[in-house]
Amino acid sequence: MKIYEQTELDFKDVLIKPKRSYINSRSETDVTREYKFKWCPRKIIGTGVITANMATVGTFEIAKHMMQNKMFCCLHKHYSLDELIKFITENDCSEYVFLSMGLRDDDIEKIYTILDQYPDKCRNICIDVPNAYIPRVKELVIRMRQKYPDILLMVGNAVTAELVEDLILSGADIIKCGIGSGSACTTRRMTGVGRPQLSTIFECADVAHGIGGMICSDGGIVHIGDVAKAFGAGADFVMMGGFFAGCLEAAGDIITKKFQVNQIDENGEFLIETKQFKVFYGMSSEYAQKTHYCGMPSYRASEGRFVEVPLKPSIDRLLQDILGGLRSCMTYIGARRLKDISKCTTFYRVNTQLNTVFEK
Ligand code: 5GP
């Protein structure tokens, strides 16, 4: 038995140190960067915030908003071939949209059909397997890179240097990093496996950048400041699901519920408060298995949760908040360009991150 004694860190365990800077205003910062990849010959200019390929946020509707803001969307893998073709032929998806696939034959066939029949449309692919340590992932990466040398290929999920290195050298451009950090994820409870997200980024970004690859930090963004921390630690992209859950454009109906409040009106009746919610669920949850497949196979356990999250404003507003937080962080640390954040970041390790005295 082995144990790593060094304490692993999460976003909540650190704060970013402010530094003297030559930036006078947040408006002087550039929150985009030019992405150049190890294998894919294309260059993309954008902000590396990416919506997770989950059923309620990895949608066409969300993708349109992300594209308009020069940010990315990883579409969920449950769209049919016809739906995907319609979307990619009616919108310009070549830069900011990723198509997802797992290891199932029908997923692979669907993506191959799009790559073969629509070569000038969407060529950003995400091979998404919760556990990329299984050998079939690497085999698929090698096959796809040989068959389609020009695709932008993101692969996940991993949390350690050796797999990041292996998958990049096998043909991946971006490794999606994170196990067990997700808001709708119960993997750590069910399996005991996982790694705190900040330490995952440190290690994986270091090895990826050394060999010309990139990483996408996947999961665990709780506060907007965590996005800056992820970029500061070395992430090239930051994937978020739960943060966007409940926004107006997320898939799903608005659920209205009434709650009795512990206050009485002039007639002596208890006040009733109305709250609105939207559904959000993990893609390995029993709910997802039932909704998108034929139920849960007997050899699997649910590793995701189903929640009703309070209704949020429109996604454009959330994106503006993210960009505002990033610009402000960049001003505090003297990073004029998004690419400079990690060079300019020094973290304090903290015991308490936030003052929550007025939070419920
Ligand atoms: P969030 O931004 O909500 O914290 O994390 C989003 C990430 O959680 C997704 O990109 C994906 O990697 C992960 N995730 C989504 N659904 C599930 C699930 O059912 N189980 C697990 N283990 N992870 C999930």
Side-chain angles (χ1 to χ4, degrees), residues 52 54 157 182-185 187 218-220 239-242 282-285 303-304:
M54 299 175 73
N157 279 24
S183 59
C185 161
T187 292
D218 179 15
M239 180 174 273
M240 301 152 77
M283 298 311 291
S284 304
S285 63
E303 287 184 30

